[in-house]
């Protein structure tokens, strides 16, 4: 039998087209790209005629959101703060300015050996201990200067390890309420696992302290 030349070319062309066109995939899966792992997964899926598509986690929205500056607790204003010493005692103070500014002042007092001006410097020089500046934390925030002073005094008054001394005297009628609030705060801080530097805003007179971190 003689096969026309044109028909043989058409048959060969048709066979070549069939070989070049892979069958349609049974399904498609989309997975995050993990270098070294995703390639192996794709190779296995191909054996079962399953198409694998890699998804990049670095989307534009994710990149932009990750570039947002994270809040720094050292920028907090109007707060009562706590600076621990390596001996286990703590310095308790208050400031209306950013916390890092107040810490910078404490360090300056150290450098200048201002013992008469700073209880921290006095404690450090007398005991030979070092303050753990990096572990500074915020006890509470309070915008009212009067309330902040009272709350600072409350934290000092009911602490057995405070280096600093109260600058105010709490009225006797407040003592039972304030003492219970301080104990609650100390208990919560002792048992806190996360949100170490989270700051809560508190109420007004008398200085209720039970909703602090």
């Amino acid at each position: 039998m003689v096969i026309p030349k044109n028909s043989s070319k058409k048959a060969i062309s048709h066979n070549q087209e069939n070989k070049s066109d892979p069958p349609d995939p049974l399904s498609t899966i989309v997975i995050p790209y993990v270098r070294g792992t995703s390639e192996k997964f794709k190779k296995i899926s191909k054996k079962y005629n399953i198409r694998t598509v890699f998804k990049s986690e670095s989307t534009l929205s994710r990149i932009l959101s990750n570039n947002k500056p994270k809040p720094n607790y050292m920028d907090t204003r109007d707060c009562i703060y706590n600076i621990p010493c390596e001996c286990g005692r703590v310095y308790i103070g208050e400031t209306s300015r950013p916390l890092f500014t107040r810490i910078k002042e404490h360090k300056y007092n150290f450098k200048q050996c201002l013992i008469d001006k700073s209880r921290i410097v006095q404690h450090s020089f007398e005991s030979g201990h070092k303050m753990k500046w990096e572990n500074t934390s915020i006890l509470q925030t309070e915008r009212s200067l009067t309330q902040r002073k009272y709350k600072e005094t409350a934290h000092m008054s009911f602490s057995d390890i405070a280096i600093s001394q109260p600058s105010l005297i709490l009225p006797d009628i407040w003592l039972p309420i304030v003492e219970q609030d301080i104990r609650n705060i100390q208990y919560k801080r002792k048992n806190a696992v996360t949100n170490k530097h989270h700051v809560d805003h508190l109420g007004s007179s008398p200085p209720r302290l039970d909703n602090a971190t």
Side-chain angles (χ1 to χ4, degrees):
M1 181 179 68
V2 179
I3 301 176
K5 292 183 179 181
N6 292 338
S7 61
S8 62
K9 290 182 179 180
K10 289 181 179 180
I12 293 173
S13 177
H14 180 71
N15 291 333
Q16 289 179 344
E17 289 178 359
N18 289 340
K19 289 181 179 180
S20 62
D21 294 336
D24 293 334
L26 298 176
S27 63
T28 300
I29 57 174
V30 181
I31 61 173
Y33 178 76
V34 179
R35 185 176 181 181
T37 301
S38 299
E39 291 86 349
K40 296 177 182 179
F41 190 89
K42 183 176 183 179
K43 187 176 181 180
I44 296 172
S45 300
K46 188 175 181 181
K47 294 180 180 179
Y48 298 94
N49 195 24
I50 298 176
R51 180 170 55 189
T52 304
V53 178
F54 299 140
K55 179 181 68 172
S56 174
E57 293 297 317
S58 300
T59 61
L60 179 59
S61 59
R62 185 182 295 271
I63 293 173
L64 293 176
S65 62
N66 287 341
N67 285 338
K68 292 180 181 179
K70 296 181 179 179
N72 188 344
Y73 79 101
M74 291 296 285
D75 293 329
T76 304
R77 297 172 179 266
D78 303 320
C79 63
I80 300 107
Y81 59 92
N82 179 328
I83 307 174
C85 177
E86 63 180 1
C87 69
R89 299 187 66 186
V90 296
Y91 176 88
I92 298 172
E94 65 83 21
T95 182
S96 61
R97 293 167 297 167
L99 181 56
F100 74 85
T101 301
R102 186 68 181 113
I103 299 300
K104 192 174 181 180
E105 290 178 344
H106 284 306
K107 291 181 177 181
Y108 175 82
N109 292 338
F110 261 103
K111 185 177 292 187
Q112 300 299 319
C113 302
L114 301 178
I115 298 177
D116 297 335
K117 186 177 180 179
S118 172
R119 290 287 297 176
I120 295 183
V121 178
Q122 181 181 351
H123 170 76
S124 182
F125 273 76
E126 290 178 353
S127 63
H129 299 156
K130 295 181 180 179
M131 302 303 295
K132 302 171 73 172
W133 305 106
E134 69 280 3
N135 292 336
T136 299
S137 61
I138 296 174
L139 297 175
Q140 295 181 271
T141 57
E142 174 57 61
R143 291 186 178 181
S144 167
L145 174 60
T146 302
Q147 289 294 314
R148 194 167 62 249
K149 285 288 186 182
Y150 273 117
K151 291 176 182 181
E152 176 198 38
T153 298
H155 279 283
M156 295 180 191
S157 300
F158 295 100
S159 173
D160 298 329
I161 58 174
I163 297 171
S164 42
Q165 294 180 340
S167 58
L168 299 176
I169 298 177
L170 291 176
D172 292 340
I173 194 172
W174 285 6
L175 292 180
I177 299 175
V178 173
E179 181 177 13
Q180 184 58 48
D181 291 340
I182 290 293
R183 300 306 178 199
N184 290 339
I185 292 172
Q186 292 173 344
Y187 177 80
K188 291 178 182 180
R189 288 177 60 82
K190 184 178 180 180
N191 291 278
V193 178
T194 57
N195 298 328
K196 181 179 179 182
H197 300 301
H198 178 70
V199 180
D200 289 327
H201 293 275
L202 307 175
S204 57
S205 178
R208 295 292 299 183
L209 310 172
D210 54 349
N211 58 340
T213 53

